[in-house]
Amino acid sequence: IKKYPSPVQLIVQFLEQASKPLVNEQNQVQPPPDNKRNRILKLLALKVAAHLKWDLDILEKSLSVPVLNMLLNELLCISKVPPGTKHVDVDLASVPPTTAMAILLYNRWAIRTIVKSSFPVKQAKPGPPQLNVMNQVQQEKEVTENILKVLKEQADDSILVLEGALKLNKDLYIHTIRTLDLLAMEPGMVNGETESSAAGFIISSEEMQCQVCYDLGAIYFQQGSMNFELYVNAREKFFRTKELISKIGSSLHCIIDERRLAGYCQACGVLAPSDNTSSPSTPYSQIHSCLRSGNYQELVKIFLEDNQTPTLPVQFKQSVLRELSQKAQQGDAVLDEICFKVCACNSVCDVMHGRPVGVQFSQLFLRPTKEKIDFLLEVCSKSLQVETASESSKRKMAYFLKNLCLGLEDLQLVFMISSHELFMALLKDDERKLLIDQMRKRSPRVNLGTKPITSFYDIPASASVNIGQLEHQLILSVDPWRIRQILIELHGMTAERQFWTVSNKWEVPNVYGNVILGIKDSLTRDLVYILMAKGLHCITVKDFVHAKQLFAACLELVTEFSPKLRQVMLNEMLLLDIYTHEAGAGLSGERPPSDLISRVRGYLEMRVPDIPLRQVVAEECAAFLLNWRENEYLTMQVPLSLVQNNPYVKLGQLLAATCKDLPGPKESRRAAKDLWEVVVQICSVSNQHKRGNDGREPLVLTTILSLFVKLHNVREDIVNDITAEHISIWPSSIPNLQSVDFEAVSVTIKELVSYALTINSNNHSWLIIQADIYFATNQYSAALRYYLQAGAVCSDFFTKMVPPDVYTDQVIKRMIKCCSLLNCHTQVAILCQFLREVDYKTAFKALQEQNSHDAMDSYYDYIWDITILEYLTYLHHKRGESDKRQIAIKAIGQTELNSSNPEEVLQLAAQRRKKKFLQAMAKLYF
């Protein structure tokens, strides 16, 4: 069955053919000629649009912005609107009706396009990268953006044109196929018929005003976020549209999306409520008014009423609750109660409609009170009319109340629910008895037959309840003095418990645990342990303020009885101060205060016997001195005994000395050799030490990376070798190769380069290392992306040539292999030209592949080697591919590739193609 193109496809085809540029003999692109053929094609496009009754909804849905812009400009031209004339300067009342209608149609489309561009658009899922397709899409996107820019600049004029149209009190006309045919005749044969009152489709004044009011309302609504008064204008236009629709009824030439119009009217009623008291206010506008004025009791009343006769959408009610919750989290304590009441209304509504109760209700009901139970029962009673409700609704409410009782620990609150008239009406006698039995099993010592006590606050709590509540507060609190008070109360209630075991989240390092648990006084032991555990947890979540308060209180406490624990706390507070500086002022490059540097040195030089020490403190202190370039201290001033006894200081000293020597002309290798031996020793033992923070100094990172890269390459696996700067300073062999854990070395390199790129993502050396890692692990697409990124950062996105020490032959060969394994064979051939000696064998083999995933002949413009181009012409001739052969012949014929040209011209031609090709590749992978 032959498939015919749709009308809109015909429009696209006609306009594309009419606007196709010409290429002269000198390969110069010229604009399309204004000849008879092109005029007929444009006229055919206009006739198809006339066949569609100039329905903007259909045209906008099916045509792109550039095509529709071209179509409407042709309509303006054929409707005798002089080119370059500002529409706002045209008197619509004095021009022919078809001319006025063409101007209105264009300006309606302009503001509709602006409004539509402000809506979020779901991006289409991209397929495999194809350069020619991507170029077309990118070109259309750029053209669309340019048109939108012009339309937005002229938006005020378009609005004035449409506002002026509302003052017209006459019918207008728009072109039909017949009037367009008349216009195509010779001017003398028309006799002005198209300008008469009977030419074309008639558009009544009401129809025109209805369309214009709707479109003006949409643009005013879109601009309302910047100027609130425009919402009032939008409201007036939308309500006027509703009036006109009710007056003219259904119309062939006035199609308005009434559901969308209703949504606009509803939104305007909320954002710009009418002062007219006769117009009924909607629940939306009432809620919006309550939120703005802070009348939250009225808001709760609206939600209660909606539970009785539901009209508000679930999503809207949830959004109101979210807004209230956000305000409550900002410190408005009054809103906590309002949040619970609104959430209770929403949750009961969910129950009645068979939806699960949300987590937020459980969170807000975590601490139930008499007032909360009273309100919840009020909501349930108003939401369910027992006399008229269905059995299904009664069952849902009964299960909700029953589960509510089972979830409460305070039995007096349970009695408040079980003795309520709604509960008595919904649950049968046997169900109430079963519930009582379940409660008895849970709390056998409580008599459920007693009458409820009037005042909840008069109920004496049992000791077990009080202990549980205090333990819960102990877990949540980070106030050291409140923690101390809670522990005193708990120890006053029972002497049998060890309260440092209340939470399994409280962890203290083993080196400290033995000392703390050796404290004889149980209250002091619990307090010291909990203060330290909470302080360490606060450091983990980067809450340094509370950590400082907890550690300070602990230090003050242990100073009174334990010099050993006092030194422990001083060490931990030093580590906290390092973390605080690195996360705060250190991020902006501000040097730490001299007092902090002195304390770090003091810790490293400390020689106090029997003090438990954490490994991480020494690591961080050494890393801290490296970060802030205390190389002089590490290399010259640090005591010899400290270097011999502290391995972290030793490693820091060697690293500082190596970095210090690197800028020198001869790059002294003594410090590098010592550092190499230490790292090899670390990597050879089974119990490897965790590394500390590697700092922000690029030279330190580069040095460490080059060391581990050299260690990785010692295996002489040329295929998987990694490239790095300063790699030549390290020894080239290891006596005992089998002892090195190369897997640990690989993991270290990955972690180091990943961290390094967070410090400076534009370091080409680190990007090459990352690419080499991906290459060694067969992740060729990712490897190619990082090779391209390394070239881009050192050539201003390939506007300059990539330095040869970045794109070495080894890097190019790896890029070639990546492209080959990704089946991008034309890219392989082009990259073979980048090598110092062109690899014709690989290039020819790649071009022979017919199953290529790249753009193939679209890349021929990037080939400058005549031998490869000649091979392509031979290959396409052999295959009978005449079109592709012509493209290759055209590439050969470019004058700048003539072998008789001076060497400088040939080099410039090659460089220009290199840069263009790499830019095209980057667009595919970035």
Side-chain angles (χ1 to χ4, degrees), residues 485-504:
Q485 182 183 1
I486 292 170
L487 282 172
I488 291 172
E489 291 183 44
L490 287 170
H491 278 273
M493 292 179 179
T494 175
E496 301 172 359
R497 295 281 305 277
Q498 293 182 331
F499 292 103
W500 63 270
T501 63
V502 164
S503 173
N504 58 5

Side-chain angles (χ1 to χ4, degrees), residues 278-426:
S278 62
S279 60
S281 60
T282 64
Y284 296 100
S285 60
Q286 292 172 357
I287 290 172
H288 187 71
S289 176
C290 290
L291 289 171
R292 283 199 298 175
S293 62
N295 188 357
Y296 298 120
Q297 297 304 327
E298 184 64 26
L299 177 71
V300 173
K301 183 180 175 183
I302 295 170
F303 271 73
L304 270 172
E305 291 173 354
D306 187 73
N307 271 29
Q308 297 171 33
T309 53
T311 57
L312 296 171
V314 176
Q315 294 81 1
F316 175 74
K317 295 200 288 186
Q318 289 172 346
S319 69
V320 173
L321 179 57
R322 277 196 299 271
E323 185 174 341
L324 291 169
S325 300
Q326 288 169 0
K327 289 182 179 179
Q329 288 170 5
Q330 292 169 1
D332 194 340
V334 178
L335 285 178
D336 288 336
E337 179 189 350
I338 303 300
C339 283
F340 171 75
K341 289 184 175 181
V342 171
C343 184
C345 292
N346 289 353
S347 300
V348 172
C349 186
D350 288 338
V351 169
M352 296 301 296
H353 288 85
R355 295 186 292 266
V357 176
V359 176
Q360 194 168 7
F361 175 77
S362 303
Q363 292 173 334
L364 292 170
F365 204 62
L366 198 61
R367 295 188 181 88
T369 62
K370 177 180 178 296
E371 288 77 9
K372 286 183 177 181
I373 297 291
D374 277 337
F375 181 78
L376 191 57
L377 290 171
E378 180 188 352
V379 176
C380 293
S381 300
K382 289 185 176 179
S383 301
L384 181 75
Q385 302 299 323
V386 179
E387 298 80 10
T388 58
S390 65
E391 285 300 317
S392 173
S393 298
K394 291 178 183 178
R395 285 289 88 197
K396 290 171 186 173
M397 184 63 77
Y399 285 135
F400 173 67
L401 293 174
K402 182 179 174 182
N403 289 329
L404 202 63
C405 290
L406 291 171
L408 290 170
E409 293 184 0
D410 194 315
L411 297 173
Q412 301 303 326
L413 298 181
V414 173
F415 279 127
M416 287 180 65
I417 299 173
S418 62
S419 60
H420 194 273
E421 58 182 359
L422 179 63
F423 187 90
M424 303 286 283
L426 292 176

Side-chain angles (χ1 to χ4, degrees), residues 575-642:
L575 183 60
L576 172 59
D577 289 341
I578 290 174
Y579 287 151
T580 304
H581 180 79
E582 295 292 347
L587 287 176
S588 59
E590 183 180 333
R591 279 190 63 79
S594 56
D595 171 62
L596 182 55
I597 296 175
S598 299
R599 287 166 60 202
V600 170
R601 292 181 180 181
Y603 173 83
L604 293 173
E605 298 171 11
M606 182 177 62
R607 287 291 173 272
V608 181
D610 300 328
I611 298 295
L613 300 174
R614 274 212 298 160
Q615 175 178 308
V616 68
V617 184
E619 290 180 3
E620 292 292 345
C621 284
F624 178 82
L625 293 176
L626 281 170
N627 287 347
W628 297 104
R629 305 169 203 156
E630 292 292 315
N631 294 343
E632 193 69 26
Y633 172 78
L634 286 169
T635 54
M636 306 292 293
Q637 299 176 18
V638 63
L640 182 62
S641 58
L642 176 59

Side-chain angles (χ1 to χ4, degrees), residues 380-602:
C380 293
S381 300
K382 289 185 176 179
S383 301
L384 181 75
Q385 302 299 323
V386 179
E387 298 80 10
T388 58
S390 65
E391 285 300 317
S392 173
S393 298
K394 291 178 183 178
R395 285 289 88 197
K396 290 171 186 173
M397 184 63 77
Y399 285 135
F400 173 67
L401 293 174
K402 182 179 174 182
N403 289 329
L404 202 63
C405 290
L406 291 171
L408 290 170
E409 293 184 0
D410 194 315
L411 297 173
Q412 301 303 326
L413 298 181
V414 173
F415 279 127
M416 287 180 65
I417 299 173
S418 62
S419 60
H420 194 273
E421 58 182 359
L422 179 63
F423 187 90
M424 303 286 283
L426 292 176
L427 269 77
K428 300 175 183 176
D429 290 341
D430 55 344
E431 289 177 316
R432 291 202 300 276
K433 288 178 183 177
L434 181 61
L435 178 62
I436 290 172
D437 288 340
Q438 287 176 311
M439 299 297 290
R440 277 181 178 149
K441 288 177 184 177
R442 196 178 68 178
S443 305
R445 293 173 293 174
V446 180
N447 179 11
L448 292 178
T450 58
K451 293 182 179 179
I453 300 174
T454 306
S455 174
F456 165 71
Y457 296 99
D458 295 333
I459 304 170
S462 65
S464 61
V465 172
N466 270 344
I467 289 175
Q469 291 173 344
L470 287 170
E471 286 179 346
H472 183 69
Q473 293 176 28
L474 185 65
I475 291 171
L476 296 178
S477 180
V478 287
D479 180 358
W481 307 116
R482 177 61 183 149
I483 292 169
R484 177 175 177 273
Q485 182 183 1
I486 292 170
L487 282 172
I488 291 172
E489 291 183 44
L490 287 170
H491 278 273
M493 292 179 179
T494 175
E496 301 172 359
R497 295 281 305 277
Q498 293 182 331
F499 292 103
W500 63 270
T501 63
V502 164
S503 173
N504 58 5
K505 301 290 184 183
W506 293 341
E507 295 180 356
V508 165
N510 292 333
V511 290
Y512 299 159
N514 295 332
V515 181
I516 294 173
L517 297 180
I519 299 173
K520 293 181 180 180
D521 180 67
S522 58
L523 173 59
T524 306
R525 179 173 62 244
D526 286 343
L527 185 54
V528 172
Y529 190 98
I530 293 171
L531 288 174
M532 178 174 281
K534 282 179 173 285
L536 292 171
H537 174 73
C538 287
I539 291 175
T540 303
V541 299
K542 301 190 183 303
D543 183 0
F544 300 129
V545 174
H546 283 118
K548 185 105 175 174
Q549 295 172 358
L550 291 160
F551 279 177
C554 193
L555 175 64
E556 184 179 347
L557 177 64
V558 299
T559 299
E560 299 175 0
F561 65 88
S562 175
K564 185 183 293 187
L565 283 175
R566 177 181 179 276
Q567 188 58 54
V568 165
M569 291 312 304
L570 288 173
N571 296 344
E572 289 298 324
M573 292 187 77
L574 170 62
L575 183 60
L576 172 59
D577 289 341
I578 290 174
Y579 287 151
T580 304
H581 180 79
E582 295 292 347
L587 287 176
S588 59
E590 183 180 333
R591 279 190 63 79
S594 56
D595 171 62
L596 182 55
I597 296 175
S598 299
R599 287 166 60 202
V600 170
R601 292 181 180 181

